[in-house]
Amino acid sequence: MKSVTVAIADDHNLFAKSMEIMINRLRGYTVLFTASDGLDFIHKIKTKGKPDIVIMDRIMPIMDGAATISWDRKSTRLNS
């Protein structure tokens, strides 16, 4: 059975790490990566691949959640 991959993007390290631990304890789910902001998220998608599920903080420094989701939608359309 293939594990469902999850990415976490949040600038609060304690929250992100807690979520990662909880998700990795769930049968059938694995955290693919965590990112500290939108630019970090984009870099990690390019190097580690796209997850099945994303948990994204809306307010982050450098690039917020809304801008990151907008980038993802545009890049998905361009790559289709």
Side-chain angles (χ1 to χ4, degrees):
M1 176 183 188
K2 181 184 176 280
S3 189
V4 175
T5 57
V6 179
I8 302 166
D10 197 302
D11 59 319
H12 296 94
N13 294 333
L14 182 60
F15 176 78
K17 187 64 178 171
S18 299
M19 290 294 295
E20 180 179 6
I21 290 168
M22 289 189 320
I23 291 167
N24 282 332
R25 287 184 179 172
L26 296 172
R27 184 175 304 154
Y29 291 84
T30 304
V31 174
L32 183 61
F33 63 82
T34 60
S36 58
D37 58 61
L39 286 179
D40 187 30
F41 179 83
I42 289 169
H43 171 73
K44 288 183 176 172
I45 273 189
K46 290 179 179 180
T47 59
K48 298 179 184 255
K50 279 199 165 197
D52 299 313
I53 298 171
V54 175
I55 299 171
M56 176 86 58
D57 187 0
R58 188 174 61 87
I59 301 170
M60 295 182 286
I62 304 173
M63 186 174 191
D64 66 16
T68 306
I69 291 169
S70 178
W71 170 87
D72 185 54
R73 286 182 178 161
K74 287 177 186 172
S75 77
T76 301
R77 280 194 302 254
L78 293 173
N79 294 327
S80 298

